[in-house]
Amino acid sequence: MDYKALLKDIKNGEFKPLYVLHGEEPYFIDLLADAISENAVDESEKDFNLAVYYGRDMDVLTLMSEARSFPFMGTRKVVIVREAQDLKDIYELEKLLPNLVESNILVLCHKYKALDGKRKFTKEIANVGVNFKSEKVKDYNLTEWIATYVRSEGYEITSKAAALLGEFLGNDLSRIVNELDKLAIVLEKGTKISDIHIEENIGISKDYNVFELVNAIAIRDTLKAFQIADYFEKNPKDHSIIVVIPSVFKLFTNMMRVHFAPNKSPDAIASSVGLHPFVAKELIRNCPNYPPKILARNVEILHNYDLKAKGVGNSSTSDGQLLKEMLVQILN
């Protein structure tokens, strides 16, 4: 089930006796568990009928006993196990499935890794409750996800501002939402969030960031690329070459895919590469700047500098100097 539909059911008071929330993306797991905690038990009953445990401090036998105990002077009891990936013998909970108490809700928050789908427990969850697999938002969908979240909170956001957040914060939904929540404190509902808002309130430069560096490389704007590299060298804390290299690598691999694509229309490239049509159009426009042989050479350069940045064959050169050396090679 989609997390939005599941969240809607929870807020409407439609509950199941078991929720197993598992997978690589912790944000959706926390979001759903918090919603159950807030909506399933009245505030006045939480001291008695809301129990929160952590997997490392719980064992399966105790958990089964707790899950089967009846509410105290209330209609429902909620038992939440945070960090359930630390719960030993979790698959032994298959013994609990036929004996769930209908008035109770058991929530397992198993983060960073999905449960083994071949195990009996995992297979039978959906027969009595909710089996929600929390998957990472794909990198190419991250900007769209940010825009959708912003709209759900009563704001709008420019594509550049959304891309800046994605590039700077990475695929970390909790961190992205946290920064957007900070913006919501200072901006009125209905505001269209721009790159200027991002720069002034979150601290991401609208002109000197990985997003702009990759754009400068794409159009072979050497002056702009070195201006950004110089800024990165003076502000090394948030601009490691280790962060830059994967973004540039993605640019070059996407360009290589465009070169060998049978259909080079923006819509076809957007579909095959997994990009927004506007971004795909820009990619197609910039591809002639890097013929396939140059792209292959540049990928090798990136690989060499990735090793140097990690200390292989390099003991003294700073990140900033490595970045400038790398730019000299890939832009010439």
Side-chain angles (χ1 to χ4, degrees), residues 187-305:
L187 300 179
E188 293 184 2
K189 290 281 187 181
T191 300
K192 190 167 190 175
I193 299 169
S194 69
D195 52 333
I196 295 174
H197 291 124
I198 299 296
E199 181 175 35
E200 292 177 347
N201 296 283
I202 298 180
I204 306 172
S205 171
K206 65 184 178 64
D207 296 314
Y208 299 100
N209 54 73
V210 176
F211 178 73
E212 292 296 340
L213 176 59
V214 172
N215 282 345
I217 292 170
I219 63 176
R220 296 189 75 89
D221 186 338
T222 303
L223 176 60
K224 180 68 179 289
F226 276 91
Q227 286 175 336
I228 296 172
D230 187 59
Y231 177 85
F232 283 9
E233 185 175 24
K234 293 174 181 175
N235 300 272
K237 184 177 179 181
D238 296 318
H239 304 96
S240 168
I241 190 174
I242 296 295
V243 177
V244 172
I245 288 173
S247 295
V248 181
F249 176 77
K250 186 164 87 172
L251 168 70
F252 288 152
T253 53
N254 283 343
M255 282 183 165
M256 188 71 82
R257 293 171 72 179
V258 171
H259 276 300
F260 293 99
N263 184 344
K264 291 182 173 57
S265 70
D267 287 341
I269 294 300
S271 176
S272 64
V273 180
L275 297 171
H276 188 281
F278 174 79
V279 178
K281 188 180 294 185
E282 291 294 309
L283 183 66
I284 295 166
R285 181 183 297 122
N286 294 325
C287 268
N289 293 329
Y290 295 93
K293 287 185 178 180
I294 297 299
L295 288 172
R297 180 206 67 178
N298 284 355
V299 167
E300 184 176 357
I301 291 169
L302 291 176
H303 175 68
N304 291 336
Y305 276 88

Side-chain angles (χ1 to χ4, degrees), residues 48-62:
F48 305 104
N49 291 320
L50 173 62
V52 180
Y53 302 99
Y54 286 82
R56 65 180 178 274
D57 302 321
M58 176 59 72
D59 63 82
V60 167
L61 289 177
T62 304

Side-chain angles (χ1 to χ4, degrees), residues 144-162:
E144 183 180 346
W145 188 90
I146 292 170
T148 301
Y149 175 82
V150 168
R151 285 194 295 270
S152 74
E153 295 296 305
Y155 298 85
E156 295 292 330
I157 190 168
T158 66
S159 57
K160 183 175 181 180

Side-chain angles (χ1 to χ4, degrees), residues 18 22 46 69-70 76 139 151-152 159 204 218 273 296 331:
L18 175 65
H22 62 115
K46 287 186 177 179
S69 63
F70 289 94
R76 184 183 293 118
D139 288 342
R151 285 194 295 270
S152 74
S159 57
I204 306 172
V273 180
L331 289 169

Side-chain angles (χ1 to χ4, degrees), residues 122-136:
T122 313
K123 290 178 180 179
E124 295 187 356
I125 293 167
N127 295 330
V128 293
V130 172
N131 182 347
F132 176 78
K133 188 174 181 180
S134 184
E135 297 182 333
K136 284 281 188 184

Side-chain angles (χ1 to χ4, degrees), residues 34 102 105 128 177 182 185 187 190 239-240 246 257 291 325 328:
D34 290 345
E102 287 296 323
I105 298 174
V128 293
V177 168
K182 291 178 186 176
I185 296 172
L187 300 179
H239 304 96
S240 168
R257 293 171 72 179
E325 287 179 14
V328 168

